[in-house]
Amino acid sequence: MKLLAISGSLRAVSSNTSLLRAAQLVARPPLAIQFYDGLGSLPHFNPDLDVDPLPPAVVDLRAKIKAADGLLISSPEYARGVAGSMKNLLDWMVSDLDFSGKPVALFNASPRASHALAALRLTLETMAARIIDQASITLPLLSAPLDAQGIAADAELSRAIGDALDAFVKAVQG
Ligand SMILES: Cc1cc2nc3c(=O)[nH]c(=O)nc-3n(C[C@H](O)[C@H](O)[C@H](O)COP(=O)(O)O)c2cc1C
């Protein structure tokens, strides 16, 4: 099973990115997690550009999402909303029929970020994604910033991530 991890933060030392990178470390074969590194290269969404030929960065995004059995999304909250870069990525997926029914686990690196999480959920539901609640977790990483290795080395955090990944695989495999 192949998952695509998408962080909504462009920050070099991002807690959301570290959480997803830790999931890569925790995942065991046959589960493989690819990290999407194109967020910062996506053009601003413009319906006039959402026609053939699509911008190359959008072609790449859609191909990666299509090839994935599911998505792990972790995104920060800015001004009580979804980070703009993350929303921009999702806007590029609205017209893509392959997104419908795509299993999504919502990871969250901050218990404070409840507004963004709720808004993200609403957008994903509107786009007919299949949010897997049993695989969606919120971890308190903001108060104790750790890199991916540090998160994976923490027994409690790594167990929470491992359990979420197991639940995701189970839900997707039916
Ligand atoms: C411009 C800006 C606005 C923010 N607004 C909120 C907010 O409304 N609620 C919140 O909980 N955190 C807010 N934060 C804090 C971020 O969510 C926090 O820095 C988080 O760690 C960013 O995620 P990252 O570590 O993955 O980059 C804000 C940060 C910035 C830079």
Side-chain angles (χ1 to χ4, degrees), residues 1-6 23-24 27 30-36 64-65 67-72 102-105 107 135 164-166 168-169 172:
M1 180 175 296
K2 261 176 48 176
L3 305 183
L4 186 68
I6 304 175
Q24 285 184 299
L31 179 62
I33 302 176
Q34 182 188 11
F35 185 84
Y36 174 68
K64 284 182 170 138
I65 288 184
D69 297 301
L71 309 178
L72 295 184
K102 186 66 72 176
V104 176
F107 280 19
L165 294 177
D166 288 347
F168 201 37
V169 170
V172 172

Side-chain angles (χ1 to χ4, degrees), residues 62-85:
R62 290 187 179 179
K64 284 182 170 138
I65 288 184
K66 183 176 184 172
D69 297 301
L71 309 178
L72 295 184
I73 293 179
S74 191
S75 187
E77 173 167 305
Y78 292 149
R80 295 199 169 178
V82 179
S85 301

Side-chain angles (χ1 to χ4, degrees), residues 36-103:
Y36 174 68
D37 58 6
L39 186 76
S41 310
L42 284 172
H44 292 156
F45 177 68
N46 177 348
D48 292 344
L49 300 180
D50 195 1
V51 290
D52 278 335
L54 286 165
V58 177
V59 173
D60 175 68
L61 168 72
R62 290 187 179 179
K64 284 182 170 138
I65 288 184
K66 183 176 184 172
D69 297 301
L71 309 178
L72 295 184
I73 293 179
S74 191
S75 187
E77 173 167 305
Y78 292 149
R80 295 199 169 178
V82 179
S85 301
M86 184 72 231
K87 183 61 166 59
N88 185 53
L89 178 149
L90 292 176
D91 288 344
W92 277 114
M93 296 308 299
V94 169
S95 69
D96 187 339
L97 298 180
D98 289 321
F99 198 81
S100 178
K102 186 66 72 176

Side-chain angles (χ1 to χ4, degrees), residues 64-168:
K64 284 182 170 138
I65 288 184
K66 183 176 184 172
D69 297 301
L71 309 178
L72 295 184
I73 293 179
S74 191
S75 187
E77 173 167 305
Y78 292 149
R80 295 199 169 178
V82 179
S85 301
M86 184 72 231
K87 183 61 166 59
N88 185 53
L89 178 149
L90 292 176
D91 288 344
W92 277 114
M93 296 308 299
V94 169
S95 69
D96 187 339
L97 298 180
D98 289 321
F99 198 81
S100 178
K102 186 66 72 176
V104 176
L106 284 174
F107 280 19
N108 181 12
S110 165
R112 254 182 22 199
S114 55
H115 297 93
L117 191 61
L120 195 51
R121 177 179 284 273
L122 182 62
T123 297
L124 287 165
E125 284 170 355
T126 304
M127 293 167 68
R130 183 181 158 215
I131 298 174
I132 311 294
D133 287 325
Q134 315 89 285
S136 297
I137 49 171
T138 293
L139 298 176
L141 299 176
L142 210 52
S143 45
L146 293 167
D147 62 8
Q149 282 76 16
I151 296 170
D154 181 290
E156 206 172 316
L157 295 174
S158 131
R159 187 170 348 101
I161 294 168
D163 287 351
L165 294 177
D166 288 347
F168 201 37

